[in-house]
Amino acid sequence: MTFNSLAGHWAEVQARRISDLFEDPDRADRFSTSAAEMLFDWSKTALDDKAVDLLLALAKDAGLEDRREAMFSGEKINETEGRAVLHTALRASTARKVFVDGEDVIPEVHKTLKRMRDFSSRLRSGQIRTPTGGRYTDVVNIGIGGSDLGPAMAVQALAPYHDGPKVHFVSNVDGAHIHDTLKGLNPANTLVIVASKTFTTIETMTNAKFARDWIAREVGEEAAGHQLVALSSNEEKTTEWGVSPERVFGFEDWVGGRYSMWGPIGLSLMIAIGANRFDEMLDGARAMDTHFRSAKGRENLPLMLALVGIWHHQICGYATRAVLPYEQRLARLPAYLQQLEMESNGKRVGMDGAALETVSGPVVWGEPGTNGQHAFYQLIHQGTAIVPCEFMVAKEGHEPDLAHQHRLLVANCLAQSQALMLGRSMEEAEARMAAAGFEGEERTRQAAHCVFPGNRPSTTLVYPKLTPRIFGQIVALYEHRVFVEGVVLGINSYDQWGVELGKELAVALEPVMAGDVSVDGLDGSTQQLVKHLT
């Protein structure tokens, strides 16, 4: 099965309107998938039974089932770096056995989780004190990429469950970020978590040095190290920084940064919500793992989420994908998914090193509803580019006294997907203008501005309430979507060489900016910019 078969089918049905597919009274049910406690409705797309069968055949021919089991069992499917891909092991039960190079990794995973639970519980209860004998009131997580986006997104998402020290995040090397974050905090009562596997990430370590110096000015150089926690596997470097071994939480190279919030990188979240709630999140992710491994065909939610995305991007040619959570606390989810999807599947060559014969991953973007409605929905409704929209909404909010506002939120979500599909015809627009008193050519002119083409695809993910368990299911769902898309495209979703070149050039340019190295040899544009910026 090839992409050509799907492209041929799309050419045949492209003129058909999505709304016409609902002449099938069972369409909504047949083109929806349920998993655990969530419903994924993909009926408002142009997919029909033949397209779904072709997509499923495409995934099968790509060896999805074997590749999936290879990932879960610890085989080194990250072939360019010679690594296993085992973020799923971070949430696996103690009953599982997963071997990497002949060693079962699950006991060490749970040993680390136990250390995290013990540390976070003692910190939250006040057993762990500051060097001056006080309680920690604030925690600052310093990291970048996956060491920031995952936990920062999760801490915001699970705000109703916060009952520990207040957690803050710093990622950008722009001094404004750490300055504004530390401003107003008491250095004597602040714990700093430095999240860097190698403990050499330049942005993270630059910010960490500033934070350590900020603490040292208050409590002294020797005591400052006692207010640091390291999420790193570089024990030599963490020792140099004065971090005691019991406050160092390491993880293996089979956990990619953007997949790491389930382990030590999630320590800030565990401190915020407690170990029991963190375990509930792991349970939710584990439930999605089990579903992904066992559900067949159309019943497999991550598989269908991925195939709908492939249909829209690789077959229909829609260049971008809007993720639209109607849940304010998921405001950081689109940014998290930008890294998860675009860093994973933004590739140009296949596993064999040959150029891809089709486009790779789409541009992912979005904002929470209803904010986006007053920003970019104009473009998705009436613009010339078609943007597949992925709506997300909860049946229930966390604020019972604001249930009426949640009903309004849900109504907006459903209305937007309905409007994208149905649109408004010229005849309907003219009738509205006639009712408003317009006549003749002016009525036609005004009506043209009120036409909505419609026939624009969307999906909706419905979940009961944003609990830690449901949150774990959502994030694991998108992780597995990325995996499926990567397998179908024949690419390695687990390396990220595209981030390296800019980092190397930045290191070379820093002494140029400092005036220690001449601009000679640089391109004309960069020379000009350096001169204007120094």
Side-chain angles (χ1 to χ4, degrees):
M1 179 58 58
T2 66
F3 284 102
N4 290 338
S5 301
L6 281 155
H9 180 62
W10 172 235
E12 293 175 2
V13 302
Q14 188 171 356
R16 183 181 59 195
R17 294 191 67 82
I18 296 170
S19 55
D20 291 343
L21 295 171
F22 284 88
E23 292 174 3
D24 172 5
D26 299 322
R27 178 172 175 82
D29 180 62
R30 292 198 309 111
F31 288 77
S32 294
T33 304
S34 297
E37 297 137 277
M38 298 191 294
L39 170 71
F40 176 52
D41 183 333
W42 41 283
S43 60
K44 291 192 186 79
T45 68
L47 285 161
D48 56 17
D49 287 314
K50 181 177 179 180
V52 173
D53 289 343
L54 289 171
L55 286 164
L56 289 170
L58 185 69
K60 182 178 180 180
D61 290 350
L64 177 65
E65 292 186 3
D66 289 343
R67 197 74 174 167
R68 179 179 59 198
E69 289 312 300
M71 177 180 70
F72 276 98
S73 64
E75 293 185 31
K76 296 180 180 179
I77 65 168
N78 179 353
E79 296 176 11
T80 57
E81 296 178 303
R83 297 174 181 174
V85 176
L86 280 175
H87 46 281
T88 56
L90 296 180
R91 61 231 190 189
S93 71
T94 54
R96 273 194 65 199
K97 291 184 181 296
V98 179
F99 292 90
V100 177
D101 295 327
E103 181 180 353
D104 183 8
V105 303
I106 300 301
E108 188 63 29
V109 165
H110 282 273
K111 180 180 177 181
T112 300
L113 280 172
K114 183 180 185 304
R115 289 184 59 226
M116 291 170 59
R117 293 186 189 104
D118 291 346
F119 177 80
S120 63
S121 297
R122 290 170 59 220
L123 183 75
R124 285 160 51 85
S125 68
Q127 287 179 265
I128 293 178
R129 294 278 174 172
T130 70
T132 56
R135 290 188 66 145
Y136 283 103
T137 58
D138 295 271
V139 174
V140 177
N141 185 96
I142 299 178
I144 197 165
S147 297
D148 168 78
L149 282 167
M153 182 263 297
V155 165
Q156 182 177 16
L158 298 178
Y161 301 93
H162 290 192
D163 55 5
K166 190 172 182 180
V167 178
H168 315 264
F169 292 88
V170 173
S171 57
N172 200 329
V173 77
D174 183 343
H177 198 182
I178 193 161
H179 174 273
D180 292 352
T181 301
L182 299 184
K183 185 179 179 181
L185 301 185
N186 182 347
N189 299 333
T190 300
L191 183 77
V192 172
I193 298 175
V194 184
S196 171
K197 184 185 292 186
T198 62
F199 230 60
T200 58
T201 308
I202 189 167
E203 300 97 330
T204 298
M205 302 317 298
T206 300
N207 281 323
K209 184 180 185 307
F210 183 91
R212 192 185 191 284
D213 292 345
W214 172 72
I215 293 171
R217 287 193 296 271
E218 180 74 18
V219 304
E221 180 65 30
E222 185 175 345
H226 295 290
Q227 291 184 223
L228 299 181
V229 171
L231 311 181
S232 175
S233 299
N234 191 335
E235 295 181 7
E236 181 179 345
K237 288 287 186 183
T238 58
T239 300
E240 290 177 8
W241 274 65
V243 186
S244 58
E246 63 270 18
R247 294 194 179 187
V248 177
F249 300 86
F251 48 101
E252 301 297 328
D253 64 7
W254 37 256
V255 180
R258 56 195 177 277
Y259 296 91
S260 60
M261 59 175 278
W262 315 102
I265 292 297
L267 182 62
S268 56
L269 174 64
M270 188 181 283
I271 290 170
I273 67 175
N276 290 339
R277 298 291 194 188
F278 192 90
D279 286 345
E280 291 173 13
M281 181 186 74
L282 296 182
D283 288 343
R286 189 183 309 124
M288 184 56 66
D289 293 343
T290 300
H291 167 81
F292 180 51
R293 294 184 78 181
S294 60
K296 303 297 183 183
R298 299 165 74 126
E299 301 304 313
N300 192 304
L301 203 162
L303 173 60
M304 294 314 304
L305 180 62
L307 294 182
V308 170
I310 288 169
W311 170 256
H312 285 151
H313 185 50
Q314 277 77 20
I315 306 306
C316 302
Y318 306 143
T320 79
R321 171 190 298 161
V323 179
L324 308 170
Y326 275 66
E327 177 92 51
Q328 181 60 31
R329 293 188 177 104
L330 287 178
R332 294 290 290 162
L333 180 66
Y336 173 79
L337 293 180
Q338 281 177 351
Q339 185 194 26
L340 184 67
E341 300 201 33
M342 295 169 70
E343 192 166 271
S344 295
N345 290 341
K347 308 294 170 61
R348 59 179 297 277
V349 299
M351 296 290 281
D352 59 359
L356 293 177
E357 295 181 359
T358 185
V359 294
S360 57
V363 173
V364 178
W365 57 285
E367 279 286 323
T370 58
N371 292 3
Q373 293 177 199
H374 295 267
F376 52 79
Y377 277 45
Q378 168 64 46
L379 183 146
I380 65 175
H381 279 293
Q382 289 188 311
T384 55
I386 294 179
V387 180
C389 294
E390 300 185 352
F391 296 98
M392 305 171 66
V393 68
K395 180 179 180 181
E396 180 185 358
H398 281 278
E399 295 74 30
D401 56 327
L402 295 174
H404 62 291
Q405 291 194 208
H406 188 74
R407 287 194 297 272
L408 179 60
L409 179 77
V410 174
N412 271 273
C413 178
L414 301 185
Q416 292 299 326
S417 68
Q418 188 179 30
L420 284 167
M421 179 179 71
L422 296 178
R424 178 187 289 153
S425 69
M426 185 63 177
E427 291 74 18
E428 291 169 324
E430 288 217 53
R432 290 172 62 89
M433 293 302 105
F438 291 100
E439 297 179 351
E441 292 184 4
E442 182 61 13
R443 181 177 70 191
T444 300
R445 188 180 74 86
Q446 292 287 347
H449 292 278
C450 296
V451 171
F452 288 67
N455 203 37
R456 302 194 169 196
S458 70
T459 64
T460 305
L461 182 71
V462 180
Y463 49 93
K465 187 177 183 178
L466 192 60
T467 63
R469 177 178 171 83
I470 292 297
F471 176 73
Q473 290 182 20
I474 291 172
V475 178
L477 165 66
Y478 277 91
E479 288 180 343
H480 294 318
R481 175 206 208 151
V482 167
F483 169 80
V484 173
E485 290 178 336
V487 170
V488 171
L489 293 172
I491 62 178
N492 182 3
S493 299
Y494 301 101
D495 62 11
Q496 55 280 329
W497 298 110
V499 306
E500 297 300 321
L501 179 57
K503 290 163 69 173
E504 293 170 11
L505 294 176
V507 170
L509 279 171
E510 198 280 332
V512 177
M513 298 298 299
D516 298 330
V517 175
S518 169
V519 297
D520 293 344
L522 297 176
D523 64 87
S525 172
T526 304
Q527 285 190 33
Q528 173 179 261
L529 294 171
V530 168
K531 290 175 182 177
H532 275 270
L533 289 165
T534 56

